[in-house]
Amino acid sequence: KKRNKDNANKEVEIFAKNYSATAVDYAKHFSKNLDYSKDSMADLEEILDYYSKDISVSKPTDNQIWSMSLIFGSYLGETILKNGFAQKGYRWGKEDTSKIPLLVCDNGWRVTPIDKVYKRLVNGSSDNVASFYAYAMNNL
């Protein structure tokens, strides 16, 4: 059973890395360079702000919003991992109760960057991802 879970987590990690690379490519259309740094959070926030405002006009389906959340949430998660969380034992995984990838740690803690991006897109700037990132880093 552990091998199946390890394989599933590896698949989730590959999935997240691929989606994160897609976010980096999309950002170029906004003349933004997402480089997995703390400073890139401001650029990510600007991109999500654009899409958040566009949602009220273009009326995408919930599946389309989730697709965007997977892409940009994977970037957010990869940035969190690269800037300290991986060294603390966090990795991509899934919980049995959720179909959405998240960052898991053996200590039981969870970080949900994809959910956070979804909330940012739907709720607007009150769910700022740069603030979420700063909070996560300060509470590592």
Side-chain angles (χ1 to χ4, degrees):
K1 187 170 182 173
K2 178 162 176 22
R3 178 172 291 229
N4 287 343
K5 189 165 185 139
D6 287 346
N7 287 341
N9 286 342
K10 191 64 175 168
E11 288 174 15
V12 172
E13 179 184 345
I14 292 166
F15 167 92
K17 286 182 184 299
N18 288 338
Y19 269 124
S20 180
T22 301
V24 171
D25 287 342
Y26 276 7
K28 292 174 184 166
H29 297 290
F30 290 87
S31 300
K32 302 290 183 191
N33 179 30
L34 297 183
D35 62 0
Y36 302 98
S37 70
K38 170 186 155 190
D39 293 340
S40 73
M41 290 298 104
D43 289 337
L44 178 61
E45 179 60 31
E46 282 184 42
I47 293 166
L48 295 176
D49 190 55
Y50 169 84
Y51 283 123
S52 178
K53 289 175 179 167
D54 183 62
I55 284 173
S56 63
V57 177
S58 63
K59 306 278 192 233
T61 66
D62 200 47
N63 281 345
Q64 290 170 318
I65 297 170
W66 274 112
S67 292
M68 289 174 44
S69 302
L70 287 168
I71 292 167
F72 291 107
S74 292
Y75 175 79
L76 177 59
E78 280 294 299
T79 304
I80 288 169
L81 286 173
K82 289 176 188 289
N83 290 293
F85 273 56
Q87 295 88 332
K88 296 290 184 181
Y90 283 85
R91 65 196 174 285
W92 283 105
K94 276 189 179 178
E95 294 186 326
D96 297 334
T97 58
S98 175
K99 295 179 179 160
I100 301 165
L102 55 130
L103 303 181
V104 297
C105 189
D106 291 336
N107 67 10
W109 287 54
R110 305 287 182 256
V111 179
T112 57
I114 294 168
D115 282 341
K116 181 60 183 178
V117 168
Y118 179 85
K119 289 176 185 171
R120 173 60 180 93
L121 290 169
V122 172
N123 298 337
S125 60
S126 63
D127 271 300
N128 184 296
V129 294
S131 298
F132 175 80
Y133 176 85
Y135 178 81
M137 290 297 127
N138 289 332
N139 290 286
L140 177 62

